[in-house]
Amino acid sequence: MKYKKITPYLFIAPMIGGLALFRIGPIIASFVISFTRWNVRTAPEFVGLGNYVEMANSDIFWLVLKNTLVFTALYVPGVIVVSLILAVILNQKLKGIAFFRGLYFMPYITSMVAVAMAWNWIFSTRFGVLNNVLKDMFGVSHPPAWLADRNYALLVLVIVTVWKTAGFYMMVFLAGLQSIPSHIYEAARIDGANRFQVFFKITLPMLSPVTFFVLVFSLINAFRTFEVTYAMTQGGPLHASTTLAYYIYRNAFEFNRMGFASALAYALMLLVGLITALNFGVRRRWVSQDIY
Amino acid sequence: MKFGKTLTFVVLVSVVAGLSGLASVRAQEGVTLRYFMWDPEFEPTEQQMVDICSAELGINVELETMEPSEYWPRLQAMAAAGDLPDVFNMSSGYVDEWARDGLMLNIQEYVDRDIMPEAENYFVGLFDAARYPDKTEGDMYAFPFAFVETVLYYNVDAFDEAGLEYPSEDGWTWDEFLDAAQALTVDRDGDGEIDQYGFWFYGRYAHIESWIYQNNGRLLNADRTRFEPDENAIETLEFLNSLIHEYGVAPMPAEMEGIRQQDVFPLGLAAMWVDGSWNINNNRSQLADAEEPFSWALAPIPRGPHWEEDTAYGWADLMAISPYTEYADEAWDFIRCMTGPNRTVELTFPGKIPIYRPTAESEDWLELDQMPPNKGFLLEWARFTGPTSFTPGWGEWRGYVGGSGLEAYLNEVFNGNMELDEALSAAAEQANSVLERFYPEE
């Protein structure tokens, strides 16, 4: 009897232990560290709210925050639209369709370093494919220096990230599309609905739980964007493409400012938490609760 | 209960027996040093050196190499845990911070005892990089194994084609340099796009500071606690900017975006370039695969109007000993072995000058059958090795990668997006906020 009470806890103990050790522990530790000045090598020094005050007074922090919000505002709608279109196109019973689904999924599983190298060549100012097309086919005499121009660098990161991740969300949408019962479409066709009406009145509303998942997931990933910045622009030019996660990394591991980086991490956590809470708050207004 | 006590006893006996067994194995095997190195590309070469020194000293050495991006975070975490490797690579740029934090053993006594009696065999001028707190009077906390210098690379074939005399090893003036750069800037097919620029540079430290020091300029104040470029430094930056925007002999950095900066010269897109000697290997490998390989050579950085004496921008790569090591003597012997005559030419790092003079001055190291034909110039130039702008927080205010710091501000100037005085003022604000953390206002 005594063992029966303990047994369930023993089963979940490894999971709880791992969670405590590798998630909750670091979350608490970084909160404490955010009140210190700590270069990792020597003992931390307590500075109270110093890191948070510095953050609030830092022009770079506000620029980085703005970059992160702009990135998110461009990336999330972009990836949802692109992946939904891909999913609708690939939701057909055609010969070889599995190949195309695999093809569009490939970027998602490709190393970011390889992706960055390829896109760097595409966007290269002088020898890039894009600029040569703009020059030779469209007569643009001075095409932009995409990666070296403060007006374009962040946009390039958005494009590359959409390209890389759309395949994943396409699969999610595809699963959603295939779970919509065919009799609903049949009924709509009998009622005389055209393709656009079917898409906007049936497909989209029925997909809303999946869209909600994609929205939340892509939002969180957008706020945490790091790899593409690291691999393509290193945050340049002049912080124009520095995202919050990359700024945290630089402060923690390049500038050895663990305390400041931890304070930044809490700002990011707060931001992601607020946006996610907001999403869940308005969920009922547009997400279909129907179980089909 | 009785079973429990017996079990505890058995476990304790096993642990004690195991530990004593380990201890005896360790004693049999002798001293084992852990050595961390930051260049995985040269691990096979370094392993050969480690094997040679291990055999000579009768110790075991475990070599571990990792990329710098992993090396420094890991080393710092180990420092925090008081568990540094016995011997590890150290950058000239971090000596002050690590020595200040007590994370490197003071090796001055070892150097005085073993090195100074044969000082003529070492480039002792480079030892200053390892001194703390003062760069001339302080004690040494690490020992150089090699050093690098920034030089002017030039395309010999392009000079021949333009009918120009090669840069003098006695030193060119800025005017002479500019004349050559203008003659070397060529639009071969007349399409309005320059096919070969005279010169290539951007805001990178090695591209900029070399010129400043040859114009008797400084980026930092006298006690190196604040970013305060002097008039000569500003004059140098204005001259460099004019190369792009007034004379058109160098491209804007944005034009070369997407090409690795170290490939611009070997690709033939620029006929001259100032950067570190470590690029010799890349030049060789790029040109070996090139459709139209060309000859190239090395020269001093041109002298500015305020030049007083030659000043080379260079620094040492070092090996340090952990203050926590149990085997300080063995670690020092290992460093001596790794940096002395045992490191023969084939075991040196391409583009880096070994600290041991007989090796560096040997015909084998000069590689007279390869480009550059005047590699020995590096040894001449090394005599003039002077200041750097290394300070605590250097990477943060100087900007080691493209996105931030002085480098990023200068790139905006060179790309025509910002005025120089505006950029320097913004860079000073940012740099001094970093330096103030290490050197607070009193």
Side-chain angles (χ1 to χ4, degrees):
Chain A
M1 190 62 194
K2 192 177 168 187
Y3 290 113
K4 276 188 180 174
K5 278 187 179 173
I6 297 172
T7 306
Y9 294 104
L10 287 176
F11 275 113
I12 61 166
M15 178 64 195
I16 297 292
L19 195 69
L21 198 62
F22 297 111
R23 297 275 173 177
I24 299 167
I27 287 171
I28 296 168
S30 62
F31 184 66
V32 175
I33 291 168
S34 74
F35 297 104
T36 67
R37 181 179 296 137
W38 187 35
N39 68 8
V40 185
R41 301 186 299 269
T42 50
E45 175 193 346
F46 181 74
V47 292
L49 291 170
N51 290 320
Y52 292 94
V53 172
E54 183 183 339
M55 190 168 74
N57 291 326
S58 161
D59 293 341
I60 297 175
F61 167 73
W62 291 109
L63 174 63
V64 166
L65 186 63
K66 189 186 106 187
N67 291 342
T68 309
L69 292 172
V70 170
F71 179 93
T72 306
L74 295 173
Y75 167 73
V76 172
V79 80
I80 289 175
V81 170
V82 171
S83 55
L84 182 59
I85 290 171
L86 285 175
V88 171
I89 293 171
L90 295 177
N91 186 31
Q92 298 183 46
K93 287 173 187 163
L94 295 175
K95 202 175 177 184
I97 197 76
F99 169 75
F100 286 101
R101 286 175 187 166
L103 197 67
Y104 284 105
F105 191 71
M106 282 291 282
Y108 186 69
I109 54 169
T110 305
S111 148
M112 190 65 227
V113 177
V115 168
M117 280 178 71
W119 281 95
N120 265 326
W121 270 106
I122 291 171
F123 284 110
S124 169
T125 313
R126 186 158 173 163
F127 298 107
V129 177
L130 180 60
N131 278 0
N132 278 297
V133 167
L134 289 174
K135 268 196 271 189
D136 298 342
M137 295 178 70
F138 298 96
V140 179
S141 56
H142 295 290
W146 301 96
L147 293 162
D149 190 319
R150 279 187 277 169
N151 297 315
Y152 295 109
L154 194 64
L155 181 68
V156 170
L157 298 190
V158 172
I159 292 168
V160 175
T161 314
V162 168
W163 179 84
K164 186 166 184 339
T165 56
F168 171 74
Y169 297 116
M170 173 198 78
M171 286 296 186
V172 177
F173 275 126
L174 206 51
L177 286 170
Q178 291 180 354
S179 67
I180 300 174
S182 57
H183 67 82
I184 301 178
Y185 288 116
E186 285 159 16
R189 270 194 291 273
I190 290 165
D191 288 344
N194 62 31
R195 283 176 133 190
F196 288 100
Q197 285 171 320
V198 167
F199 182 74
F200 286 105
K201 301 287 183 186
I202 294 175
T203 307
L204 269 188
M206 299 294 280
L207 261 185
S208 58
V210 174
T211 311
F212 179 73
F213 167 79
V214 171
L215 175 69
V216 172
F217 210 71
S218 60
L219 263 173
I220 292 171
N221 283 335
F223 280 115
R224 291 166 43 184
T225 292
F226 169 79
E227 268 185 310
V228 69
T229 319
Y230 180 80
M232 287 196 74
T233 62
Q234 292 92 46
L238 199 57
H239 300 292
S241 65
T242 304
T243 50
L244 203 42
Y246 183 66
Y247 191 51
I248 291 169
Y249 164 81
R250 293 202 77 184
N251 275 284
F253 299 108
E254 287 183 13
F255 308 152
N256 306 321
R257 305 193 66 203
M258 265 318 159
F260 187 62
S262 298
L264 290 169
Y266 266 85
L268 177 61
M269 197 170 94
L270 189 70
L271 193 64
V272 174
L274 276 174
I275 302 272
T276 308
L278 189 69
N279 268 322
F280 276 92
V282 299
R283 181 184 175 195
R284 285 184 177 278
R285 297 192 181 181
W286 65 277
V287 178
S288 168
Q289 304 298 312
D290 294 342
I291 299 169
Y292 34 81
Chain B
M1 192 63 186
K2 195 175 177 184
F3 173 73
K5 278 185 180 174
T6 312
L7 185 65
T8 309
F9 176 73
V10 169
V11 168
L12 277 174
V13 167
S14 308
V15 169
V16 171
L19 285 176
S20 48
L22 275 178
S24 68
V25 168
R26 191 174 179 180
Q28 282 165 18
E29 286 181 357
V31 174
T32 297
L33 299 179
R34 273 189 311 168
Y35 166 40
F36 272 28
M37 188 228 186
W38 57 34
D39 205 340
E41 194 186 338
F42 296 110
E43 182 171 348
T45 308
E46 198 67 350
Q47 186 61 58
Q48 281 187 57
M49 270 307 298
V50 165
D51 292 342
I52 291 167
C53 291
S54 303
E56 184 170 307
L57 301 170
I59 59 172
N60 299 316
V61 179
E62 293 167 355
L63 169 68
E64 212 170 316
T65 63
M66 59 211 83
E67 294 288 345
S69 57
E70 186 193 344
Y71 181 84
W72 291 107
R74 187 157 168 206
L75 210 59
Q76 299 200 88
M78 293 175 85
D83 183 34
L84 281 166
D86 302 279
V87 178
F88 52 94
N89 284 177
M90 176 49 56
S91 158
S92 291
Y94 292 150
V95 164
D96 288 4
E97 284 177 72
W98 281 66
R100 182 199 60 197
D101 293 344
L103 296 171
M104 296 190 293
L105 193 71
N106 184 330
I107 60 167
Q108 191 60 54
E109 278 187 22
Y110 290 125
V111 174
D112 291 341
R113 185 190 71 194
D114 297 332
I115 302 294
M116 294 323 287
E118 51 162 337
E120 69 282 1
N121 283 334
Y122 293 86
F123 291 96
V124 288
L126 271 300
F127 288 8
D128 289 350
R131 296 189 194 280
Y132 176 82
D134 186 88
K135 285 293 167 203
T136 49
E137 306 287 320
D139 283 350
M140 286 176 71
Y141 284 82
F143 194 76
F145 60 88
F147 61 98
V148 291
E149 300 291 340
T150 56
V151 290
L152 177 77
Y153 291 90
Y154 66 96
N155 180 331
V156 171
D157 291 0
F159 271 72
D160 291 343
E161 195 183 324
L164 294 168
E165 282 188 25
Y166 304 140
S168 162
E169 288 200 7
D170 293 331
W172 250 358
T173 63
W174 282 2
D175 287 341
E176 289 169 319
F177 165 81
L178 180 57
D179 287 344
Q182 286 175 314
L184 291 164
T185 301
V186 186
D187 173 10
R188 290 198 179 92
D189 50 13
D191 65 351
E193 190 171 77
I194 302 295
D195 299 298
Q196 175 188 276
Y197 281 98
F199 185 56
W200 153 242
F201 72 101
Y202 68 106
R204 180 177 162 80
Y205 64 107
H207 293 197
I208 300 297
E209 290 180 41
S210 320
W211 288 87
I212 291 176
Y213 300 137
Q214 277 290 74
N215 191 35
N216 200 22
R218 297 288 178 272
L219 285 177
L220 300 168
N221 63 357
D223 56 3
R224 305 169 61 82
T225 57
R226 290 292 181 270
F227 176 78
E228 283 175 14
D230 63 10
E231 285 181 3
N232 295 346
I234 294 169
E235 180 183 44
T236 310
L237 294 171
E238 283 167 347
F239 172 70
L240 289 172
N241 195 31
S242 74
L243 296 177
I244 299 172
H245 296 292
E246 189 177 338
Y247 300 107
V249 297
M252 287 194 279
E255 188 180 332
M256 294 296 158
E257 188 68 39
I259 304 170
R260 293 194 318 160
Q261 77 87 12
Q262 65 267 40
D263 292 344
V264 172
F265 175 76
L267 283 171
L269 294 167
M272 294 186 283
W273 171 49
V274 166
D275 208 317
S277 52
W278 60 87
N279 289 294
I280 285 175
N281 216 30
N282 185 60
N283 285 355
R284 285 175 181 167
S285 59
Q286 292 286 334
L287 285 164
D289 300 334
E291 280 180 24
E292 292 178 27
F294 57 81
S295 301
W296 51 281
L298 312 175
I301 314 296
R303 297 166 174 172
H306 291 95
W307 173 90
E308 285 179 3
E309 58 179 357
D310 274 328
T311 309
Y313 179 38
W315 55 90
D317 288 339
L318 313 127
M319 294 173 84
I321 299 174
S322 163
Y324 311 120
T325 184
E326 293 174 49
Y327 307 115
D329 290 347
E330 290 83 354
W332 167 248
D333 290 340
F334 175 66
I335 289 178
R336 270 189 74 200
C337 177
M338 294 287 283
T339 54
N342 283 310
R343 193 178 282 278
T344 49
V345 169
E346 61 274 16
L347 296 173
T348 56
F349 303 97
K352 292 188 179 181
I353 306 157
I355 197 73
Y356 191 66
R357 289 188 88 113
T359 306
E361 288 165 354
S362 69
E363 277 199 17
D364 285 350
W365 189 81
L366 294 174
E367 299 176 305
L368 297 171
D369 56 335
Q370 290 200 58
M371 290 290 148
N374 64 337
K375 193 178 166 194
F377 164 72
L378 289 172
L379 305 178
E380 290 296 309
W381 193 230
R383 288 187 294 134
F384 306 114
T385 304
T388 66
S389 64
F390 290 136
T391 64
W394 177 83
E396 188 176 353
W397 71 260
R398 185 62 186 80
Y400 190 59
V401 285
S404 65
L406 178 63
E407 177 179 314
Y409 284 107
L410 290 179
N411 284 341
E412 287 300 296
V413 175
F414 300 148
N415 283 329
N417 299 327
M418 214 181 241
E419 293 299 321
L420 181 61
D421 52 354
E422 180 194 358
L424 284 180
S425 160
E429 190 182 332
Q430 192 248 326
N432 288 330
S433 73
V434 174
L435 290 167
E436 207 169 308
R437 290 206 305 270
F438 299 96
Y439 305 110
E441 295 273 1
E442 286 177 4

